[in-house]
Amino acid sequence: MSAAKGFLYKHRIEFAVLGVFFAMIAAFAVANPRVFLNYRAYFAVFTTLGASIVLVTANVFVVASGEMDLSFPSIIGLSAMVFAVIARAGANPWIGFVAALVTGSLCGFLNGMLVTRVGLSSLVSTLGMNFLIRGLIMILSGGLAIPLTFLMEKPIWKIFAGTIGAFPVQLLWGLLFAFLGWLLFARHRFGGHVCYTGDNLTSAKEMGIRVDRVKTLTFMLMGFSAGLVGVLVTLLNNTFWPTTGDGYLLLILAAVFLGGTPTWGGIGTIWGAVIGAFILGFIETGIVAAGLTGFYTQFFYGVILILALISHRYVGLKKK
């Protein structure tokens, strides 16, 4: 097998998902060329896509380790609230930024302890944490928003919510995060440990892998990414909302599965998940541009996801 054929075969899942993306964009361009041949449509999607890319990247680690994290939407909200409260108090917003990352990481650590030390199911325990943290946000905030318009044009806003020419900087941060995640997942032994743990827990232990530590670190990475997204979203909106983070759960999980990371663990693809995030990010814009109402959005989410999963079967992604 030649090097080119070997590369194509190794990354067949990513190329299959990329084919779905280009086919979808082509269909939207045919339906409404005036919109999809105009950069403004892409700019609107790119502005909010960076946060999704950060989340799907971290989620691949959790799913590949054989676990699930359903608490990250509320961790986004809690981290955003910590950042907003510190910034509104007059402190340096960079202190709030660091505090948000620490908050997210600590929540991830707690999730890891519940799964590895207490022995709870990650599906149930993180779902409970999602409700608990969201309730805590509502209690502490009183359901009130915190405006942060005074941060506009400050260095932290320009760095995390500004533009470089006609390109939104948040997308660049998302792609940088994905690249670093890919290096960790595909080029570092930690990524191998994650996949071994998700593939066969007993064998991983016999190999000397500290599986509890690996799983805890994946939850902490998910929490860290949620903390980062909390700041990104808050700066983008110039306001903290008590509902910050809501709406990400199903879309992020769908993007991860759509991108070729199966639910049973042991396998993962960072770039496949990123392409999945692009697909789901463009669906609503394409549907509206095609002349349909927003009511069709969830229907097409389901269609695209099911078709992509079927394509995974045909390109060799089999359940163990």
Side-chain angles (χ1 to χ4, degrees):
M1 183 180 293
S2 66
K5 288 183 178 179
F7 178 81
L8 290 173
Y9 180 79
K10 180 179 179 181
H11 298 284
R12 60 195 184 281
I13 298 296
E14 291 92 331
F15 282 111
V17 181
L18 190 61
V20 172
F21 173 69
F22 283 129
M24 183 188 73
I25 293 297
F28 289 152
V30 170
N32 194 332
R34 186 175 60 85
V35 172
F36 271 87
L37 296 180
N38 190 319
Y39 176 69
R40 285 182 296 179
Y42 296 90
F43 179 84
V45 177
F46 289 163
T47 300
T48 59
L49 201 53
S52 296
I53 292 174
V54 170
L55 293 173
V56 298
T57 298
N59 220 305
V60 168
F61 285 85
V62 177
V63 177
S65 73
E67 303 295 347
M68 294 285 287
D69 188 348
L70 306 183
S71 67
F72 66 86
S74 61
I75 297 177
I76 293 172
L78 182 62
S79 302
M81 185 178 71
V82 169
F83 170 75
V85 168
I86 292 175
R88 183 180 61 177
N92 190 316
W94 289 103
I95 297 176
F97 174 71
V98 174
L101 298 181
V102 172
T103 298
S105 300
L106 288 176
C107 290
F109 177 76
L110 179 58
N111 281 332
M113 290 294 100
L114 290 174
V115 172
T116 62
R117 300 300 182 186
V118 182
L120 300 181
S121 162
S122 61
L123 189 66
V124 178
S125 63
T126 57
L127 179 62
M129 286 294 293
N130 189 49
F131 286 119
L132 187 153
I133 296 174
R134 185 62 65 185
L136 181 63
I137 294 170
M138 292 298 179
I139 293 170
L140 295 177
S141 68
L144 301 176
I146 301 176
L148 297 172
T149 51
F150 59 89
L151 291 179
M152 289 187 66
E153 301 306 322
K154 289 188 178 294
I156 192 170
W157 185 90
K158 293 180 179 179
I159 291 173
F160 291 117
T163 59
I164 298 179
F167 203 81
V169 73
Q170 284 205 4
L171 181 59
L172 297 178
W173 283 112
L175 292 174
L176 175 61
F177 191 91
F179 176 72
L180 295 176
W182 172 77
L183 289 178
L184 185 61
F185 190 81
R187 294 292 185 267
H188 192 275
R189 65 179 181 179
F190 177 70
H193 289 178
V194 168
C195 292
Y196 288 136
T197 299
D199 183 61
N200 192 311
L201 196 63
T202 303
S203 297
K205 290 179 179 179
E206 292 175 351
M207 292 171 61
I209 296 174
R210 300 170 64 180
V211 296
D212 287 352
R213 180 182 179 184
V214 168
K215 290 190 176 187
T216 300
L217 287 174
T218 63
F219 281 110
M220 290 183 68
L221 177 60
M222 189 70 245
F224 176 89
S225 73
L228 175 59
V229 168
V231 176
L232 294 180
V233 172
T234 301
L235 288 173
L236 190 62
N237 296 328
N238 295 312
T239 304
F240 159 74
W241 301 96
T243 56
T244 296
D246 279 354
Y248 276 112
L249 179 59
L250 295 181
L251 286 180
I252 296 305
L253 292 177
V256 171
F257 301 144
L258 171 62
T261 299
T263 57
W264 54 83
I267 307 173
T269 163
I270 299 295
W271 294 119
V274 171
I275 299 169
F278 271 85
I279 291 174
L280 297 181
F282 273 96
I283 284 180
E284 186 169 6
T285 300
I287 289 172
V288 175
L292 300 175
T293 67
F295 297 124
Y296 285 85
T297 302
Q298 292 192 21
F299 172 79
F300 280 101
Y301 281 153
V303 170
I304 293 293
L305 180 58
I306 291 173
L307 290 178
L309 294 177
I310 291 173
S311 74
H312 294 169
R313 292 300 182 186
Y314 281 102
V315 297
L317 186 58
K318 303 294 184 182
K319 185 173 181 179
K320 59 185 181 179

